[in-house]
Amino acid sequence: MEEKILEIIKEITRNNSVDENSCLVEEGILDSMAIASLISELSLEFSVHIPYEEIKEENFNSVGAIEALVKKLVK
């Protein structure tokens, strides 16, 4: 799952230097538009609905945090 999330992030941001240790929001890799695109892609790829209250910086600042969020939401 981590690899697929990383692949999606690289595709959205067109940034191939992103890795599992990147601070995505803090480093400016993900902005609000990129997060919106990421949410859409995650929803399609993993069949999850990300509720509004889960859209906060700490859930999107690293690949691990995104993976944990998706795993929590997968039914």
Side-chain angles (χ1 to χ4, degrees):
M1 181 181 284
E2 181 181 275
E3 286 181 25
K4 186 60 184 176
I5 292 170
L6 196 51
E7 179 183 317
I8 292 169
I9 292 168
K10 286 180 179 183
E11 185 176 307
I12 289 170
T13 63
R14 298 186 184 346
N15 183 338
N16 287 321
S17 65
V18 176
D19 63 27
E20 62 279 346
N21 299 314
S22 298
C23 295
L24 303 169
V25 177
E26 288 177 21
E27 294 176 19
I29 296 165
L30 289 181
D31 60 15
S32 58
M33 293 302 291
I35 290 173
S37 295
L38 178 58
I39 290 169
S40 177
E41 292 295 323
L42 293 172
S43 296
L44 291 170
E45 181 67 32
F46 300 108
S47 300
V48 294
H49 168 73
I50 300 176
Y52 179 77
E53 58 271 7
E54 295 292 351
I55 303 171
K56 44 192 169 186
E57 183 176 332
E58 60 263 23
N59 286 336
F60 290 90
N61 201 37
S62 69
V63 174
I66 297 167
E67 182 180 21
L69 174 63
V70 171
K71 284 181 176 179
K72 180 173 90 171
L73 298 171
V74 169
K75 295 176 181 157

